[in-house]
Amino acid sequence: MAAEAGKVDPMHQFTIEPLFGTEGWQLAGYHIPFTNSALWMALASLLMLVFVAGGMKRQLVPGRWQMAVESFTGFIDGLLAANVGPAGKKYVPYMFTLFMFILFANFLGLLPLGVVGLHAFTFTSHFSATGVLAVVTFAIVIIVGFAKHGFHFFSLFVPHGTPLVMIPLIFCVELISFLVRPFSLGLRLFVAMMAGHVLLEVLSSFVISTGNANIGLFAIAGLPSFVLMVGICALELLVAGIQAYVFALLTCVYLNDAENLH
């Protein structure tokens, strides 16, 4: 949190800052520093690898860790089976990685960490991160669609039974709707995570301000705000899981369009 003149800036928590000095790396003439965003991406990836590695023991009587990994794998497998069908089996590794990466990223950003020079950073609150995940997913959908159906993939933009005279208009509308998908997919996760963190920061600054003013004002306004903040923290944990699920669900829907043309 950045404080200036006794005020808390709720947007400071989203600032991407270089770590370990500003030296960074020089690549093809570009300055590439190691930032707090990169650090928390690396931590999310590391935790995901540790989580998966701990569940690969393949014991006859699985322990809790193995059961957790198998439960998440079964959840993703069921999600793909329900939305894509039997062809969705081959996407389980990608969907599991995508879902767990977003889930760990969202939860890590909610850690009550307050070490000097380091605080929890939610990189999914940046459209540059969620947008890349959405574009990669969109690219897979397009590649699968053309690889499996060729130019017949364009029939996705002309619903069955469309009158001949309406085909040019419907094709343009459906094409624009299709091209907007990666933007809406990345924007939904970015907005949800950013809004929750801003609200928590505003409430916490209000609690601190009323507490510094006097005990009476804190009892009237600060304490209810603190209770509300605790409730929103619990809600944010739920939102973190829901947003990972929504991202995975919409990816399954888009993969179904590429796999199963009607």
Side-chain angles (χ1 to χ4, degrees), residues 51-63 65-66 69-70:
F51 176 71
V52 173
M56 294 181 67
K57 298 179 180 179
R58 300 183 183 276
Q59 296 175 341
L60 186 60
V61 180
W65 199 327
Q66 183 178 339
V69 175
E70 290 178 355

Side-chain angles (χ1 to χ4, degrees), residues 20-158:
F20 316 119
T22 57
E23 294 296 327
W25 300 282
Q26 294 293 331
L27 182 63
Y30 291 95
H31 177 64
I32 306 176
F34 187 76
T35 65
N36 51 350
S37 179
L39 173 64
W40 288 93
M41 286 183 190
L43 286 175
S45 301
L46 179 62
L47 282 176
M48 182 179 63
L49 290 173
V50 171
F51 176 71
V52 173
M56 294 181 67
K57 298 179 180 179
R58 300 183 183 276
Q59 296 175 341
L60 186 60
V61 180
R64 294 179 181 178
W65 199 327
Q66 183 178 339
M67 287 182 63
V69 175
E70 290 178 355
S71 297
F72 277 110
T73 306
F75 168 72
I76 294 299
D77 185 48
L79 194 64
L80 283 164
N83 291 278
V84 183
K89 274 284 185 184
K90 58 179 174 287
Y91 300 111
V92 170
Y94 172 71
M95 287 299 304
F96 177 83
T97 303
L98 182 68
F99 174 78
M100 295 306 299
F101 181 69
I102 295 174
L103 188 66
F104 276 119
N106 291 347
F107 282 146
L108 281 174
L110 293 171
L111 287 177
L113 186 62
V115 182
V116 176
L118 180 65
H119 61 84
F121 185 86
T122 311
F123 59 84
T124 48
S125 63
H126 282 263
F127 188 66
S128 57
T130 61
V132 167
L133 295 176
V135 168
V136 169
T137 298
F138 189 66
I140 292 174
V141 170
I142 292 177
I143 292 171
V144 169
F146 279 108
K148 187 168 184 178
H149 304 287
F151 288 107
H152 183 60
F153 182 63
F154 285 110
S155 64
L156 176 67
F157 310 125
V158 183

Side-chain angles (χ1 to χ4, degrees), residues 159-209:
H160 182 70
T162 303
L164 187 63
V165 69
M166 294 292 293
I167 287 180
L169 177 61
I170 296 299
F171 179 86
C172 292
V173 171
E174 290 291 333
L175 179 61
I176 293 173
S177 175
F178 182 77
L179 294 176
V180 167
R181 284 180 174 183
F183 178 78
S184 62
L185 186 62
L187 189 67
R188 184 180 291 104
L189 175 58
F190 147 69
V191 169
M193 299 312 299
M194 186 177 189
H197 283 65
V198 168
L199 182 58
L200 285 175
E201 193 83 0
V202 170
L203 285 173
S204 64
S205 65
F206 185 69
V207 171
I208 294 171
S209 298

